[in-house]
Amino acid sequence: ALRRTICGQYVEQVSAGDEHDDAMTTAKLHCVSIDPAMEDLIGGFIDRGPEGTTMTMPPQIANRITAAMLTELQRLIQGGHHPVVLASPQVRAQVRRLLEPHMPTAAVLGYNEISKGVEVESLGMVQDAPENRTNASALEGVAN
């Protein structure tokens, strides 16, 4: 029930039939997704310990990831959609922490928060620039 409430805030009802057929509507979630390599990068800076979860990401990497998310979200907003990021449950909270100071109205949903029957349409992919991937991998190795 909670999944339906959370997801329902951002779902759009889209007509699937012609203009005379009101019964054919689809629940659709427009969002941007995070590239699995980007999720791995974020996950590499998450420390889960007895005192709780902390993120040890260097500011330059945090800024770069946040800028990439904001770029993709602006495209989503320009298309008339609510800013929604879809992430794995393992990094969802950290993605929210990165994004909140810059775009507090954005929603960050985990895959497990999507209701059954909702069609997900990812209109963008948050990725790190190719020239940064090698440097980020090196930094991630230092952090671990």
Side-chain angles (χ1 to χ4, degrees):
L2 187 56
R3 176 187 313 187
R4 195 173 27 240
T5 301
I6 293 169
C7 185
Q9 297 175 46
Y10 309 105
V11 168
E12 298 173 31
Q13 297 300 322
V14 179
S15 289
D18 63 25
E19 61 189 56
H20 303 292
D21 188 6
D22 295 332
M24 296 295 294
T25 60
T26 302
K28 189 176 274 193
L29 177 69
H30 295 96
C31 63
V32 297
S33 305
I34 299 181
D35 180 64
M38 179 73 80
E39 287 194 351
D40 289 345
L41 174 63
I42 295 167
F45 292 106
I46 298 172
D47 292 326
R48 292 179 173 87
E51 289 97 36
T53 302
T54 59
M55 190 160 56
T56 58
M57 185 178 293
Q60 69 190 52
I61 294 176
N63 291 338
R64 195 172 70 229
I65 291 170
T66 302
M69 282 192 285
L70 291 171
T71 298
E72 291 301 322
L73 285 170
Q74 286 302 326
R75 291 183 190 143
L76 192 64
I77 292 167
Q78 288 171 356
H81 306 291
H82 190 81
V84 177
V85 178
L86 190 58
S88 70
Q90 294 81 8
V91 300
R92 189 198 65 74
Q94 287 69 31
V95 169
R96 178 75 190 133
R97 284 187 196 131
L98 289 170
L99 195 54
E100 188 170 31
H102 306 280
M103 191 177 284
T105 60
V108 181
L109 301 178
Y111 299 123
N112 58 336
E113 295 172 322
I114 305 301
S115 300
K116 290 182 180 175
V118 172
E119 183 180 326
V120 176
E121 185 173 343
S122 181
L123 300 176
M125 179 75 70
V126 179
Q127 296 178 308
D128 204 4
E131 65 272 11
N132 294 327
R133 292 181 192 147
T134 305
N135 296 337
S137 297
L139 283 172
E140 185 179 348
V142 171
N144 292 329

